[in-house]
């Protein structure tokens, strides 16, 4: 129960990271809130334009075997202006001959927040692979200037039955380092977004944790293997998914 002198908006502010109940000074925002907004906006812009550093991800993966590729977008400006180029591999990209029985390709893509990838991709990959005993996994692919659909071409080139793409999500004013994890069964160029499943906002402690994301994605992969499909045909029904 609130008292006449207590702040009636405090409960709401404590329950969300959204910008609510900011107050006002005259007909404007209080100075502190305005400065917070500008700082959050600057952080979002910096996240989008930060250079992707594959070496950081490789090191965080413990020196695991990785492949580095790039999309058809030659630079960051082109990537932002031409989303279609970020969905295709650069001309001349080659892969080792696909092995027999590759179950999964894992692609780490910079997306719209390389910052998110640097912070969260490696622990998410590590947690996920630990929950896939018996799965044959291709070397992790690190993709620059890349969007989600690039994983379809990578997965097909590696002969994988499924692809998981970890990508930096578009920054917002409350989250500049949010990682998305997209799953597609039977990857090949031309797959639609409706044929994917997604676990979003992987960014502990304020978003989904690494272990929670790994549990959900592993359950989706196992269910997709049984069903032979992903996307709208495969529903994430929480604990029932892995039952």
């Amino acid at each position: 129960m609130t008292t006449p002198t207590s702040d009636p908006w405090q409960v709401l502010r404590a329950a969300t990271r959204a910008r609510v109940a900011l107050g006002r000074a005259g007909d404007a925002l209080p100075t502190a809130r305005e400065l917070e907004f500008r700082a959050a906006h600057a952080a979002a812009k910096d996240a989008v334009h930060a250079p992707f550093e594959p070496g950081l991800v490789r090191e965080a993966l413990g020196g695991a075997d990785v492949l580095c590729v790039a999309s058809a977008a030659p630079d960051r400006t082109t990537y932002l202006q031409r989303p279609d180029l970020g969905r295709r591999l650069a001309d001349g990209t080659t892969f080792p001959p696909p092995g027999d029985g590759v179950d999964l390709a894992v692609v780490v893509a910079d997306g719209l927040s390389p910052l998110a990838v640097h912070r969260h991709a490696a622990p998410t990959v590590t947690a996920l692979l630990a929950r896939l005993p018996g799965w044959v996994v291709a070397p992790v692919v690190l993709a620059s200037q890349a969007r989600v659909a690039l994983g379809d071409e990578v997965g097909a080139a590696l002969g994988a039955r499924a692809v998981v793409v970890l990508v930096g999500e578009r920054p917002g004013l409350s989250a500049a380092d949010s990682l998305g994890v997209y799953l597609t069964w039977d990857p090949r160029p031309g797959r639609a977004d409706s044929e994917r499943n997604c676990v979003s906002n992987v960014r502990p402690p304020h978003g989904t944790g690494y272990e929670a994301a790994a549990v959900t994605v592993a359950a989706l992969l196992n269910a997709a293997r049984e069903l032979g499909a992903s996307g709208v045909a495969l529903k994430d029904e929480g604990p029932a998914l892995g039952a």
Side-chain angles (χ1 to χ4, degrees):
M1 182 175 180
T2 60
T3 66
T5 58
S6 64
D7 183 352
W9 294 101
Q10 182 58 38
V11 174
L12 180 59
R13 280 197 296 266
T16 178
R17 292 181 61 80
R19 302 176 62 79
V20 298
L22 300 180
R24 63 182 181 180
D27 60 356
L29 287 174
T31 300
R33 303 290 85 80
E34 175 67 19
L35 293 176
E36 290 170 358
F37 172 84
R38 294 189 184 191
H41 187 251
K45 291 176 63 177
D46 287 347
V48 169
H49 292 284
F52 180 43
E53 300 185 46
L56 292 179
V57 181
R58 183 199 300 263
E59 182 178 356
L61 287 170
D65 189 18
V66 302
L67 303 172
C68 293
V69 302
S71 77
D75 52 55
R76 198 63 174 171
T77 298
T78 306
Y79 169 80
L80 295 173
Q81 294 176 343
R82 291 284 306 276
D84 58 312
L85 296 181
R87 301 183 182 110
R88 306 200 316 261
L89 286 166
D91 290 341
T93 302
T94 60
F95 291 91
D100 294 331
V102 175
D103 295 311
L104 178 65
V106 176
V107 179
V108 176
D110 52 358
L112 289 170
S113 177
L115 176 66
V117 173
H118 295 156
R119 289 181 177 175
H120 306 304
T124 304
V125 170
T126 300
L128 173 61
L129 296 184
R131 284 161 176 76
L132 296 173
W135 283 65
V136 178
V137 183
V140 175
V141 176
L142 308 182
S144 59
Q145 314 293 13
R147 296 183 184 266
V148 173
L150 189 80
D152 298 333
E153 192 173 349
V154 171
L158 293 174
R161 296 184 178 90
V163 65
V164 167
V165 179
L166 297 90
V167 63
E169 295 181 328
R170 180 180 290 105
L173 292 177
S174 61
D177 64 337
S178 181
L179 185 77
V181 185
Y182 291 80
L183 152 70
T184 309
W185 185 259
D186 189 19
R188 60 180 184 271
R191 283 296 195 191
D193 287 341
S194 60
E195 297 174 291
R196 314 187 199 284
N197 296 86
C198 175
V199 176
S200 64
N201 195 33
V202 179
R203 53 182 296 268
H206 302 297
T208 305
Y210 307 135
E211 301 296 327
V215 167
T216 300
V217 176
L220 285 167
L221 282 169
N222 283 302
R225 181 163 60 177
E226 292 183 11
L227 183 64
S230 56
V232 295
L234 176 62
K235 301 299 184 183
D236 178 1
E237 298 177 345
L241 183 66

